Amino acid sequence: MAENPVNASTRPGPGGAALGDALVRIHDDLRVRLAALREKVLAALDGRAPAQDLGAELREHCAAVCGALGEHHDNEETRGFPLLAREAPGLAPVLGRLRREHVEVERARRSLQALLDDLGAADPARVRAELDRITARLDAHFAYEEDQLREALNGISL
């Protein structure tokens, strides 16, 4: 007998949270962290932030944001995507696209990190452009992932 899709979309995963809804919460946290990093960098470029130890602070903040993003993508690659591939084989094209996007995001992250490592010597227009590019890229990636995977993840019981 076919399962009611409404019930399947709200089935809780570990700890009582629906997996797809948990994915959205993780993405929302990453969005907040990225926005805070962006604001700190722009404040530094615009002279609104104190100059002392700013480079070290930005590197530390970027490392935390980038580390969280990397950990999130690693979890998807090693745990989430294989689970979805088993449970929802029709999502193979979506998972392939998301894996390719993870590679692109990592490349963009390394480029941004290199700019922030030497922010004083970086062209402010280039830094802003990189921030805008990675922010837009991640937002599009998260939105696509949520749109394509949320329902399927919410339907998986562990």
Side-chain angles (χ1 to χ4, degrees):
M1 181 171 160
E3 187 168 340
N4 180 336
V6 173
N7 292 336
S9 70
T10 58
R11 184 183 300 135
L19 295 175
D21 296 340
L23 175 73
V24 173
R25 285 191 298 279
I26 291 166
H27 285 173
D28 286 346
D29 177 63
L30 289 168
R31 286 176 177 112
V32 167
R33 290 175 181 225
L34 185 60
L37 172 64
R38 188 177 191 282
E39 179 53 35
K40 281 187 175 277
V41 171
L42 293 178
L45 293 174
D46 297 341
R48 294 180 282 127
Q52 61 193 98
D53 298 326
L54 185 59
E57 182 183 343
L58 284 175
R59 281 190 297 279
E60 182 179 312
H61 194 83
C62 186
V65 172
C66 293
L69 179 63
E71 184 179 321
H72 170 65
H73 282 169
D74 286 347
N75 281 332
E76 287 179 339
E77 295 282 343
T78 60
R79 296 169 54 201
F81 291 178
L83 175 65
L84 280 168
R86 281 191 310 275
E87 297 290 324
L91 287 174
V94 170
L95 298 176
R97 172 180 165 174
L98 291 170
R99 285 184 173 107
R100 289 187 301 275
E101 288 181 3
H102 286 175
V103 171
E104 294 169 12
V105 166
E106 177 58 21
R107 200 174 300 133
R109 186 210 57 82
R110 280 194 304 259
S111 176
L112 178 62
Q113 182 72 52
L115 284 173
L116 296 182
D117 283 347
D118 194 15
L119 189 60
D123 173 20
R126 182 167 177 230
V127 173
R128 280 186 179 85
E130 283 295 314
L131 278 171
D132 289 346
R133 187 171 73 85
I134 197 166
T135 300
R137 186 73 193 107
L138 279 171
D139 193 44
H141 172 74
F142 291 159
Y144 177 76
E145 190 170 76
E146 291 164 7
D147 182 60
Q148 298 296 312
L149 302 183
R150 185 179 192 175
E151 185 177 330
L153 284 168
N154 281 348
I156 294 174
S157 61
L158 299 177

